[in-house]
């Protein structure tokens, strides 16, 4: 189980899922929506994290941390997954919220 | 108007998620960021470094020198160029041409980082016409020891005459 969790792909899924968990907690949504957020975050992280990884790798290189504090190769991948999971959920959530509000107004006849 | 209200409401929700996400990511990054900031301040602001050269030797057309920093630092050699001093009395065009010819690439790539001290070898290939009028040669060295600033030092060796070919 631990081996699977530390695998890079699984690390991405978990990090993105944690991003979805943040959204669930902060917006206090229903259980179903929360689970959807976690799954969506994992998917966003899985596909978008490679775009954030170079920036994080550059940041860690620029910081030039002392020995022992330098993240090992690939460890910034999880953080990239978390960031992209949150970012993807925020963008998609914004669009869905606008559509949902619009639908609600149409339904209410306003 | 209602569409703008919907967008504002959705944006507030998105920003709430983004804000909490940034807080969590910032907490994860806080320790390495603080360590990096401390190192940055320590190496760049509190203890500025100077570079000097001790021990310069000419060995069969190559210059060997040992840079010495006043404190221990990791410094990276990021640039160097050779130059020649030529005899006075030449017109400016020829002078510029000679100076351009003199910026020859090194034959040996020096090690990238210096911790405390180190040495590199350098060879300047001198075109024969230029050697006739050369009166001295030197190096311009640039080190980067910090993201904010670089060190630069130039060294000259007055030589009576360079042999053709360095």
């Amino acid at each position: 189980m631990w081996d699977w969790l530390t695998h890079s792909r699984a690390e991405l899924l978990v990090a993105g899922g944690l991003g979805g968990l943040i959204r669930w907690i902060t917006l206090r949504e229903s259980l179903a929506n929360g689970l959807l957020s976690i799954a969506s975050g994992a998917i966003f992280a899985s596909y978008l994290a490679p775009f954030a990884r170079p920036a994080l790798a550059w940041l860690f290189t620029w910081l030039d941390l002392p020995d022992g504090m330098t993240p090992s190769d690939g460890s910034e991948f999880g953080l990239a997954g978390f960031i992209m999971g949150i970012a993807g959920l925020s963008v998609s959530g914004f669009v869905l919220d606008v559509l949902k509000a619009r639908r609600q107004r149409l339904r209410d006849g306003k | 108007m209602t569409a703008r209200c919907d967008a504002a409401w959705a944006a507030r929700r998105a920003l709430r998620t983004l804000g909490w996400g940034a807080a969590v990511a910032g907490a994860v990054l806080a320790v390495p960021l603080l360590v990096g900031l401390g190192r940055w301040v320590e190496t760049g602001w509190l203890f500025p470094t100077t570079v000097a050269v001790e021990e310069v030797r000419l060995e069969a057309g190559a210059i060997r020198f040992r840079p010495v920093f006043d404190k221990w630092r990791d410094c990276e050699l990021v640039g160097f160029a050779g130059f020649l001093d030529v005899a006075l009395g030449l017109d400016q065009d020829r002078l510029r041409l000679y100076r351009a010819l003199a910026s020859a690439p090194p034959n040996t790539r020096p090690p990238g980082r210096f911790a405390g001290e180190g040495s590199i070898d350098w060879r300047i290939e001198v075109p024969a016409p230029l050697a006739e009028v050369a009166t001295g040669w030197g190096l311009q060295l640039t080190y980067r020891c910090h993201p904010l600033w670089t060190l630069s030092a130039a060294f000259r060796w007055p030589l009576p005459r360079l042999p053709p070919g360095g």
Side-chain angles (χ1 to χ4, degrees):
Chain A
M1 179 69 176
W2 180 251
D3 288 344
W4 184 84
L5 281 176
T6 53
H7 188 268
S8 61
R9 193 72 176 185
E11 197 177 348
L12 274 186
L13 293 175
V14 171
L18 288 175
L21 184 65
I22 295 280
R23 178 177 167 84
W24 185 9
I25 293 172
T26 55
L27 297 184
R28 297 170 189 165
E29 293 182 320
S30 65
L31 175 65
N33 279 343
L35 294 177
L36 274 175
S37 289
I38 290 176
S40 304
I43 293 171
F44 277 124
S46 178
Y47 286 102
L48 297 181
F51 295 105
R53 193 181 182 187
L56 285 174
W58 174 85
L59 175 67
F60 285 128
T61 303
W62 184 79
L63 287 173
D64 198 16
L65 298 174
D67 289 341
M69 296 205 67
T70 305
S72 58
D73 185 34
S75 64
E76 75 277 4
F77 217 29
L79 186 58
F82 177 75
I83 291 173
M84 293 313 283
I86 282 276
L89 279 172
S90 298
V91 173
S92 63
F94 172 78
V95 174
L96 289 176
D97 281 345
V98 168
L99 292 176
K100 192 162 60 179
R102 186 72 183 151
R103 188 180 63 183
Q104 188 64 39
R105 286 185 187 279
L106 289 174
R107 190 175 290 169
D108 295 344
K110 291 180 181 176
Chain B
M1 184 64 185
T2 54
R4 288 176 62 182
C5 287
D6 292 344
W9 170 76
R12 275 198 304 273
R13 283 168 57 89
L15 284 177
R16 192 189 303 171
T17 303
L18 274 178
W20 277 103
V24 172
V28 171
L29 278 174
V31 172
L33 278 174
L34 284 175
V35 171
L37 183 66
R39 183 184 174 92
W40 193 64
V41 168
E42 185 265 342
T43 56
W45 291 350
L46 299 183
F47 303 107
T49 305
T50 57
V51 60
V53 162
E54 294 177 358
E55 187 186 350
V56 179
R57 290 201 309 273
L58 291 173
E59 295 175 347
I63 301 173
R64 175 181 288 273
F65 73 96
R66 188 182 299 277
V68 178
F69 302 95
D70 65 341
K71 298 178 190 301
W72 180 92
R73 291 290 177 271
D74 282 334
C75 291
E76 185 180 8
L77 185 63
V78 293
F80 40 85
F83 55 86
L84 289 176
D85 292 332
V86 297
L88 295 176
L90 297 175
D91 62 78
Q92 290 300 307
D93 287 341
R94 287 182 65 192
L95 193 63
R96 275 196 292 272
L97 175 63
Y98 287 152
R99 285 187 183 279
L101 284 173
S103 55
N107 68 328
T108 305
R109 187 73 183 164
R113 297 187 76 84
F114 293 87
E117 63 180 32
S119 63
I120 69 170
D121 292 319
W122 174 277
R123 183 189 301 276
I124 300 178
E125 301 291 340
V126 183
L130 188 56
E132 294 299 316
V133 294
T135 58
W137 58 347
L139 290 176
Q140 173 76 40
L141 301 156
T142 306
Y143 298 90
R144 181 168 53 222
C145 303
H146 189 266
L148 272 186
W149 44 262
T150 58
L151 297 173
S152 184
F155 313 105
R156 287 172 183 271
W157 293 270
L159 299 175
R161 188 60 55 94
L162 284 175

